[in-house]
Amino acid sequence: MTHSLNVMEVKISVAFVSPAKMQKLNLELRGKTYTPAVLSFPYYERTEDGMLLGEVLICRSQAQALAKKNGVTLDEQINQLIIHGSKHILGVHED
């Protein structure tokens, strides 16, 4: 018996956005006036080589403030924000 496996590449886009842009998006899309460290948007769009699951937007200055508050490096905080945003794209809402 032969089994074939179809493999599809899935992607999540990550972009760094200015505080002004993050605040504008947060107000327009969520009705919130503060500047968040992370926003995420599910897309589930087929691409030539697979599927774009969504986009994670990060505000570097807000991430830096969180890193200081949490006692971690900026890279560690950004990684945590990427994971957090990716979970939201996948429908996991633990907060």
Side-chain angles (χ1 to χ4, degrees):
M1 179 184 270
T2 304
H3 297 285
S4 65
L5 179 64
N6 292 332
V7 178
M8 178 188 297
E9 185 172 314
V10 293
K11 298 178 184 181
I12 292 177
S13 170
V14 176
F16 291 92
V17 179
S18 72
K21 181 70 172 178
M22 285 292 273
Q23 185 176 26
K24 181 180 179 191
L25 286 169
N26 203 30
L27 181 60
E28 289 175 357
L29 301 172
R30 301 179 64 232
K32 311 280 185 178
T33 58
Y34 67 92
T35 303
V38 63
L39 288 171
S40 59
F41 305 97
Y43 295 145
Y44 297 99
E45 294 178 0
R46 282 192 135 332
T47 64
E48 286 183 14
D49 57 352
M51 172 85 64
L52 175 61
L53 295 181
E55 181 174 34
V56 175
L57 303 180
I58 296 173
C59 177
R60 188 179 295 272
S61 62
Q62 292 300 103
Q64 181 65 58
L66 272 177
K68 185 175 180 180
K69 177 183 171 187
N70 294 330
V72 298
T73 67
L74 178 58
D75 283 345
E76 288 170 327
Q77 188 64 59
I78 287 172
N79 287 339
Q80 189 277 328
L81 292 171
I82 292 169
I83 291 167
H84 178 86
S86 297
K87 284 181 170 182
H88 278 274
I89 289 170
L90 296 171
V92 177
H93 303 282
E94 298 171 333
D95 310 299

